[in-house]
Amino acid sequence: MEFEALSSSELSAYLRSVPAVYALLNEPGETGDLDIAEVGDGNLNFVYFASNARAPERSVVVKQAPPFLRLVGKSWPLTRHRMEREVAALQRFGALCPQHVPRVYHADSDLFLMVMQRLSSHRILRQALMDGIVYPKLAAHLSTYLAHTLFYGSDLFLAPDVKKHAVSDAVNTELCKITEDLVFTYPFEDHPSNVYSPAFPRAEIERLRQSPALRLAVADMKWSFMNDAETLLHGDLHTGSIMVNEDETYVIDPEFAFYGPMGFDIGAVLANLLLAYFSRDWHDREQDTALQLHADGVPYRDWLLEQVSAVWSGFEKTFLKLWRVHESRRKSHFIGDDPGGVCVEAYRARFMRRLLAQSLGFAGCKMIRRIVGMAKVADITSIADHSLRAAVEVRVLRCAERLLVERDAIDGIAQVLAIAREAQAGGRAS
Ligand code: ADP
Ligand code: MG
């Protein structure tokens, strides 16, 4: 049967029929009307707020997967079972990090629909960063979320058999294919889905396609994405999947979840902070906030770069702490007996160095796909001046290319900030 989005009255009637949800929306004994508003900014799915008409603070979010990719329409069919992936991931991440993941109240596997906690005083981080808002706790929250979700899903914590079953339970072939194509493949080819901004220099397109060092680095990252089943990932952790207010940070929308390389989620966060950084001059100019300083007197653009550093450093610290505490009660899974712990610590240091390099490689891929691929980000597309936008885009590409090509030689996050600043300043001659 042809898919039809639910009408307001159908959705109201449905929610009335689910006692657990109805109890959230109404006082005991109350049978008031529900207000339904469709709010999906709609890349993939339909998202609704359902609220008590007389007490709007009683409100939930309903999300339903249609059998296609909403952005493109029915010509791009997509499994509705992606909703099961999303629900399972929200539940798993919610168990690990309840303070950063919306609660799932109800899931319906026939309608491919779920009901979750409404984040009513939070906004999407991407827009908030475009508006120049400082969130003092953001980096600490994101690094906590990353450390906990990535550590507890991995072989550093799980028993080997449990981990292997978890890998197979989280297989997400269709959504992984989207990433394999749109992030790692099409942006580097002459592909019809690519979109270039009006003043984007032709020479840059050629450069992307014809730089062997870059193409090989991207191939390495694609291989890693497809083979390194290290932990349960969010799979699409850009700043449009993060909702914030002054005190809280939530990660939504994990329908791309699967077992993949840890650096893919970390790289997504870093890439999107860097996209905000490189587009900052335009937004400062638009809002006349160039002189607006954050509490410690740092320009907002620099604050954005500080977040890149703080997310990585906070992640590294928390991840290592979880690892050390876990192995303080048992011997290391990977080193085995090690009186004195010298090898264990050396292994941890090597692990983190490799993870930074992997994260930077994925960050580079994600930055490039947002410039030349099909799906853009508002940080960049909102730059109305064509030549200014193209200049920002070229800086993003320069930075991304260096992260990819130089990733194994980068020995700390400070070097990443230096590379970003050089790209922002017009880059070294290359
Ligand atoms: P899609 O899978 O289509 O990308 P999202 O999960 O990103 O859908 O949700 C689309 C939009 O709906 C978000 O950008 C956000 O504005 C809103 N939204 C999603 N989940 C919540 C929530 N739990 N609370 C409040 N708003 C939400
Ligand atoms: Mg989304």
Side-chain angles (χ1 to χ4, degrees):
M1 209 171 57
E2 180 94 339
F3 171 82
E4 291 265 7
L6 290 165
S7 67
S8 296
S9 57
E10 284 167 335
L11 187 51
S12 283
Y14 176 79
L15 294 174
R16 281 169 198 283
S17 75
V18 183
V21 172
Y22 203 60
L24 287 169
L25 289 170
N26 288 286
E27 298 283 359
E30 194 191 14
T31 52
D33 287 337
L34 297 180
D35 281 337
I36 307 285
E38 212 276 313
V39 296
D41 48 7
N43 284 335
L44 279 93
N45 298 295
F46 289 88
V47 180
Y48 307 84
F49 292 161
S51 319
N52 182 317
R54 276 176 297 167
E57 69 285 358
R58 286 179 171 266
S59 185
V60 295
V61 169
V62 182
K63 182 165 176 178
Q64 187 178 37
F68 48 81
L69 193 152
R70 189 176 177 193
L71 181 71
V72 175
K74 294 183 180 161
S75 64
W76 188 323
L78 200 56
T79 175
R80 302 190 76 187
H81 292 283
R82 65 189 189 269
M83 186 50 70
E84 289 150 25
R85 281 278 82 76
E86 177 160 354
V87 168
L90 281 172
Q91 287 170 335
R92 172 75 182 147
F93 296 144
L96 296 174
C97 250
Q99 72 280 31
H100 298 309
V101 181
R103 290 203 13 228
V104 176
Y105 299 132
H106 169 73
D108 186 322
S109 52
D110 295 324
L111 291 177
F112 304 98
L113 162 161
M114 62 126 156
V115 182
M116 70 176 137
Q117 177 188 357
R118 163 121 181 240
L119 304 168
S120 46
S121 63
H122 309 70
R123 53 189 304 221
I124 291 286
L125 179 60
R126 188 183 305 287
Q127 259 73 43
L129 296 182
M130 286 163 60
D131 288 346
I133 300 172
V134 169
Y135 292 98
K137 299 177 185 166
L138 176 70
H141 289 164
L142 288 176
S143 50
T144 301
Y145 170 89
L146 285 167
H148 284 253
T149 58
L150 302 184
F151 179 79
Y152 287 112
S154 78
D155 280 305
L156 297 177
F157 177 76
L158 295 176
D161 55 333
V162 174
K163 155 75 172 4
K164 288 178 182 68
H165 287 295
V167 172
S168 88
D169 289 344
V171 165
N172 199 356
T173 48
E174 276 186 57
L175 277 80
C176 282
K177 182 73 164 60
I178 293 179
T179 303
E180 288 152 23
D181 290 341
L182 292 186
V183 176
F184 298 109
T185 310
Y186 298 162
F188 304 92
E189 295 177 341
D190 181 10
H191 194 273
S193 69
N194 292 338
V195 178
Y196 305 101
S197 78
F200 188 74
R202 240 354 282 171
E204 291 296 324
I205 304 176
E206 294 309 315
R207 184 188 162 100
L208 277 180
R209 290 186 198 152
Q210 290 171 14
S211 159
L214 177 65
R215 298 292 299 270
L216 298 187
V218 173
D220 280 345
M221 300 325 297
K222 182 172 179 178
W223 177 264
S224 173
F225 179 84
M226 296 179 74
N227 289 283
D228 296 340
E230 295 175 352
T231 198
L232 183 66
L233 296 181
H234 178 283
D236 194 24
L237 192 43
H238 57 86
T239 43
S241 296
I242 298 169
M243 295 189 72
V244 283
N245 66 21
E246 178 94 349
D247 295 315
E248 296 178 319
T249 305
Y250 280 86
V251 176
I252 63 168
D253 198 15
E255 70 192 307
F256 283 79
F258 78 112
Y259 258 79
M262 296 184 179
F264 191 73
D265 276 0
I266 303 166
V269 173
L270 303 184
N272 281 272
L273 289 170
L274 287 167
L275 287 162
Y277 168 76
F278 285 109
S279 58
R280 188 64 225 160
D281 284 352
W282 166 263
H283 297 292
D284 274 338
R285 182 189 299 199
E286 276 297 277
Q287 295 155 17
D288 203 17
T289 53
L291 297 175
Q292 195 178 352
L293 304 177
H294 107 268
D296 300 327
V298 178
Y300 195 68
R301 193 179 75 190
D302 295 335
W303 180 82
L304 288 167
L305 213 45
E306 278 177 11
Q307 305 318 296
V308 169
S309 165
V311 166
W312 170 261
S313 304
F315 163 77
E316 183 177 43
K317 192 165 152 234
T318 309
F319 190 92
L320 283 172
K321 187 169 142 206
L322 295 176
W323 192 353
R324 288 185 185 120
V325 167
H326 182 64
E327 289 185 351
S328 65
R329 279 171 269 124
R330 54 183 66 71
K331 76 178 173 187
S332 159
H333 261 344
F334 292 92
I335 292 289
D337 277 335
D338 179 36
V342 173
C343 296
V344 167
E345 269 310 312
Y347 180 65
R348 288 180 189 141
R350 173 193 295 217
F351 187 101
M352 297 314 292
R353 248 192 332 272
R354 206 163 47 203
L355 182 50
L356 176 60
Q358 189 198 59
S359 304
L360 298 175
F362 286 123
C365 296
K366 293 204 150 235
M367 290 160 75
I368 293 171
R369 68 80 65 112
R370 295 301 191 183
I371 302 303
V372 298
M374 181 181 91
K376 305 290 189 206
V377 288
D379 320 46
I380 307 279
T381 57
S382 60
I383 303 176
D385 180 308
H386 291 337
S387 66
L388 233 151
R389 173 170 167 183
V392 169
E393 291 176 323
V394 170
R395 288 185 200 126
V396 171
L397 293 183
R398 286 290 178 278
C399 179
E401 183 176 347
R402 287 192 60 192
L403 296 182
L404 272 155
V405 172
E406 299 174 25
R407 69 189 189 285
D408 289 324
I410 292 175
D411 64 9
I413 196 70
Q415 217 177 320
V416 176
L417 305 198
I419 288 172
R421 285 201 192 93
E422 282 173 21
Q424 170 67 24
R428 298 190 306 200
S430 50

